[in-house]
DNA sequence: ATGGTAGGTAGCCTA
């Protein structure tokens, strides 16, 4: 089974690009972030015509996550337990930043971690709290192959940005953010892509970042040990940053071998 | 060069 995560930065602005990529890339399940539309505005028909069922979780023109799959999805869940909200004006609202589905016995989360905006901004505290609660509830998900897939808006290593010197006082690289990311690893999750595929996953639209290859590695697939042992291959599709109207993020792809595990339980026949 | 581009929306906000 081939799974992928992609911050598409508006699913309506590049529906054809996404669906064409899904078909060409032979991807079974795609976790999307920043769909930037309400649940009912998702372009379901284009995905269904290509053989993909979509479960979406949108709210307004911002945020929004979805999962497209050509294999059956079960246990579809929106938001995680205790997910903090954000108070733009008035009372905090739980934003559409997390959803999950089970495919072929694999639990997959599509996550869009809050940006943080600025170290002094309330959004930064919201980001840290959001990650803290996420990590706190990880233990209740144990026991089966599970992956957190998405835009974490954190560059865990200095080498995950083009010039760490340009990030002094910036979000995405601060110690508390990196500690929040590390807490997920401490909880037992494994970055199943880093050792298999180097490079950035995001290049800002501004300042010619793509042309100068000034990117950031902020999109990840973190798996439980049960999932990690199924991984056979991973890649980052840089080509999707090129061409007409690309997202500022590119897809991260992971291949799982679901047969090997089954073989262990299969009776031996001589 | 302390900048710049893109999406949703119809004012600016978000990234």
């Amino acid at each position: 089974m081939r799974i992928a995560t992609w911050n598409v930065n508006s699913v309506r602005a590049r529906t054809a690009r996404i669906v064409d990529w899904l078909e060409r890339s032979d991807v079974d399940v795609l976790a999307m972030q920043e769909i930037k539309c309400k649940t009912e505005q998702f372009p379901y028909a284009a995905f269904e015509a290509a053989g993909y069922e979509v479960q979406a979780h949108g709210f307004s023109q911002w945020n929004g996550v979805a999962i497209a799959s050509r294999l059956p999805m079960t246990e579809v869940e929106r938001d995680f337990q205790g997910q903090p909200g954000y108070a733009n004006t008035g009372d905090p609202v739980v934003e559409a930043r997390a959803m999950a589905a089970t495919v072929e016995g694999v639990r997959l989360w599509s996550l869009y971690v809050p940006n943080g905006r600025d170290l002094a901004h309330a959004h930064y505290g919201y980001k840290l709290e959001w990650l803290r609660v996420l990590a706190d509830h990880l233990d209740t998900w144990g026991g089966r192959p599970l992956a957190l897939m998405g835009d974490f808006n954190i560059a865990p290593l200095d080498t995950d940005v083009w010039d760490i010197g340009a990030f002094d006082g910036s979000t995405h690289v601060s110690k508390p953010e990196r500690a929040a990311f590390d807490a997920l690893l401490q909880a037992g999750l494994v970055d199943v892509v880093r050792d298999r595929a180097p490079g950035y996953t995001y290049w800002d639209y501004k300042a010619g970042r793509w042309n100068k290859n000034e990117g950031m590695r902020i999109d990840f697939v973190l798996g439980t040990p049960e999932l990690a042992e199924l991984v056979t291959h991973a890649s980052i599709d840089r080509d999707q940053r090129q061409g007409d109207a690309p997202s500022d993020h590119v897809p991260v792809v992971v291949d799982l071998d679901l047969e090997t595990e089954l073989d262990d339980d299969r009776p031996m026949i001589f």
Side-chain angles (χ1 to χ4, degrees):
Chain A
M1 182 167 72
R2 176 165 285 173
I3 62 176
T5 183
W6 192 3
N7 179 324
V8 296
N9 188 12
S10 172
V11 69
R12 291 179 294 173
R14 51 192 120 263
T15 306
R17 175 188 277 264
I18 298 163
V19 173
D20 289 351
W21 178 84
L22 267 176
E23 294 186 294
R24 274 204 323 280
S25 305
D26 201 28
V27 164
D28 295 300
V29 190
L30 174 64
M32 285 169 270
Q33 300 86 37
E34 272 208 274
I35 61 172
K36 284 187 169 175
C37 64
K38 297 177 166 69
T39 304
E40 63 270 24
Q41 292 175 315
F42 194 97
Y44 295 102
F47 284 75
E48 285 165 4
Y52 291 83
E53 174 195 348
V54 174
Q55 293 286 344
H57 183 24
F59 176 68
S60 66
Q61 71 270 43
W62 293 307
N63 318 311
V65 289
I67 301 177
S69 177
R70 62 183 183 185
L71 298 169
M73 286 187 275
T74 58
E75 303 176 282
V76 175
E77 184 179 349
R78 287 162 174 85
D79 307 327
F80 56 81
Q81 191 186 341
Q83 184 178 323
Y86 182 68
N88 248 320
T89 53
D91 296 330
V93 174
V94 175
E95 299 174 315
R97 295 178 175 275
M99 67 171 295
T102 304
V103 183
E104 298 288 298
V106 180
R107 188 70 174 154
L108 299 170
W109 280 87
S110 180
L111 301 178
Y112 179 45
V113 176
N115 175 284
R117 299 183 188 171
D118 184 278
L119 297 185
H121 200 286
H123 210 260
Y124 180 73
Y126 167 51
K127 178 181 193 174
L128 296 177
E129 175 67 2
W130 201 93
L131 288 162
R132 188 190 65 75
V133 176
L134 178 68
D136 275 357
H137 288 93
L138 271 182
D139 56 344
T140 67
W141 300 336
R144 55 180 168 174
L146 174 147
L148 304 187
M149 314 171 73
D151 176 0
F152 285 75
N153 268 318
I154 295 172
L157 305 180
D158 286 356
T159 50
D160 290 337
V161 298
W162 74 92
D163 175 13
I164 192 62
F167 283 77
D168 194 31
S170 297
T171 60
H172 293 60
V173 301
S174 73
K175 280 185 178 175
E177 287 167 284
R178 286 177 169 179
F181 187 87
D182 285 340
L184 296 171
L185 305 182
Q186 290 300 314
L189 296 182
V190 179
D191 181 343
V192 299
V193 180
R194 184 177 289 280
D195 292 341
R196 295 180 169 91
Y200 304 134
T201 63
Y202 160 87
W203 296 258
D204 200 312
Y205 288 124
K206 295 175 286 197
R209 295 286 183 227
W210 167 249
N211 290 325
K212 292 184 281 190
N213 191 29
E214 294 181 345
M216 302 170 70
R217 188 183 181 97
I218 56 178
D219 300 271
F220 298 96
V221 177
L222 306 182
T224 57
E226 293 83 1
L227 180 124
E229 67 183 14
L230 304 177
V231 177
T232 59
H233 184 261
S235 61
I236 296 169
D237 193 349
R238 282 176 61 97
D239 291 347
Q240 281 304 318
R241 189 59 179 80
Q242 304 181 88
D244 185 44
S247 170
D248 42 1
H249 296 250
V250 296
V252 178
V253 183
V254 173
D255 286 324
L256 304 177
D257 177 7
L258 301 182
E259 302 305 318
T260 303
E261 193 178 42
L262 294 175
D263 286 345
D264 295 338
D265 298 323
R266 205 167 287 166
M268 294 180 74
I269 298 169
F270 297 95

